[in-house]
Amino acid sequence: ALRETDGSTHLLVAIDTIGVSGVMTKQLLEKIEKKHGIPRHRFVICCSHSHTSPHLDLGLDNLFTVPLSKDEQQKTHAYTETLRQHVLTVVDQAIADLAPGRMFYAEGSARFARNRRVIVDGVWKGFGENPNGPVDHSLPMLKITDASGTTIRGLLFNYACHGTTFGGDHNRINGDWMGYA
């Protein structure tokens, strides 16, 4: 949670999952807006987009090579409901913990991203490594500290590299490169 000097509060919620559905985003926003008065344009959910992070309801149902069993579907639903409550709790905690601070921006680079779209004569031929395709190696970062600049209160980075280290047959939880970073 960040609060501007005019009193407006902004929320960034980061979740280690492949994605959050618009339905879930709307459900969370309704509760957050009602409780804290934070409108949609000041609320964002970002995801690691790891293909091996916990899966949520109403998301990418074709993520695995084998459809989820009834038991797996029930566990996915239970996990989604637990996560929904955790998000609301951490939003409350973040707002309650607001304090004066400083924000720093830097940009570095990381070199492990690859273009994975194989194109031959202008036609997509599948996934692999395309050494001639565009790649963004920039690594923008935000650091939020206390007012003195000495205690780190938050770190945020973004890197344009798909979390697909494992294939669709790897039905196990793993943070992929984002989790290790």
Side-chain angles (χ1 to χ4, degrees):
L2 298 169
R3 183 165 290 148
E4 293 187 59
T5 54
D6 69 2
S8 59
T9 302
H10 302 260
L11 291 173
L12 173 90
V13 176
I15 302 174
D16 191 17
T17 189
I18 194 164
V20 175
S21 70
V23 171
M24 184 170 173
T25 300
K26 185 177 179 185
Q27 291 168 344
L28 289 168
L29 176 63
E30 286 172 356
K31 291 181 186 241
I32 291 167
E33 192 168 19
K34 184 176 181 181
K35 185 169 185 178
H36 299 288
I38 297 171
R40 178 66 178 105
H41 66 279
R42 293 192 183 126
F43 172 67
V44 66
I45 295 178
C46 65
C47 302
S48 61
H49 195 74
S50 168
H51 285 232
T52 53
S53 58
H55 182 69
L56 302 177
D57 277 347
L58 305 172
L60 296 173
D61 295 329
N62 62 347
L63 184 63
F64 304 111
T65 52
V66 176
L68 296 178
S69 68
K70 277 280 191 214
D71 181 55
E72 290 169 328
Q73 289 174 14
Q74 290 170 345
K75 288 177 180 173
T76 297
H77 180 72
Y79 174 78
T80 302
E81 289 306 309
T82 299
L83 179 71
R84 187 184 331 271
Q85 292 309 310
H86 281 302
V87 167
L88 296 171
T89 298
V90 299
V91 163
D92 292 346
Q93 291 170 345
I95 290 171
D97 192 41
L98 284 166
R102 298 174 65 192
M103 190 179 322
F104 301 88
Y105 172 82
E107 187 171 309
S109 67
R111 306 299 300 173
F112 62 87
R114 301 286 183 265
N115 186 303
R116 63 190 189 113
R117 304 254 186 312
V118 177
I119 298 173
V120 178
D121 295 326
V123 177
W124 181 67
K125 296 293 183 181
F127 294 114
E129 187 171 338
N130 178 357
N132 299 318
V135 179
D136 181 0
H137 292 294
S138 62
L139 181 64
M141 298 166 276
L142 285 177
K143 177 174 81 170
I144 299 128
T145 69
D146 62 2
S148 70
T150 56
T151 302
I152 295 175
R153 293 185 41 96
L155 292 171
L156 179 67
F157 69 92
N158 186 32
Y159 186 55
C161 183
H162 212 132
T164 56
T165 303
F166 301 98
D169 59 336
H170 183 82
N171 191 1
R172 291 178 177 76
I173 293 175
N174 186 294
D176 211 299
W177 72 263
M178 298 81 71
Y180 294 100

